Amino acid sequence: MNPSSYVPVLKWKRAEQRALAALPANIRAALVPLIELVPIDTDLDSGLQTKTLDQHVADAIKALKISWSANTCFLDPA
């Protein structure tokens, strides 16, 4: 990251994932996104979360590897 890097704050949803993946290399080089994970889904019947925070973060990282590859980013799991 350099002082002129742009840090967009993005909710980690499919549209944002696809948008990052579609960016040309010269734009990617100027970005260091702050990615906010969406809340963990809750089962409507039990009221419990459908997965653990570890599972949620692991799933996000899998998607991140596809969309943003080896580029630098910040990840906010909360």
Side-chain angles (χ1 to χ4, degrees):
M1 183 170 153
N2 64 52
S4 64
S5 293
Y6 176 62
V7 182
V9 178
L10 305 172
K11 292 283 186 191
W12 199 232
K13 296 181 178 180
R14 282 197 187 110
E16 287 78 0
Q17 293 169 17
R18 290 180 182 146
L20 282 180
L23 289 174
N26 62 328
I27 302 287
R28 285 173 163 259
L31 295 179
V32 180
L34 168 61
I35 297 171
E36 295 179 337
L37 298 187
V38 294
I40 300 171
D41 291 332
T42 302
D43 182 275
L44 296 177
D45 294 327
S46 69
L48 300 174
Q49 293 181 330
T50 58
K51 53 185 161 182
T52 66
L53 181 58
D54 287 344
Q55 292 167 327
H56 190 56
V57 171
D59 291 345
I61 289 172
K62 285 180 194 175
L64 188 59
K65 286 180 181 179
I66 295 166
S67 299
W68 198 238
S69 61
N71 296 310
T72 302
C73 70
F74 300 107
L75 185 63
D76 182 1

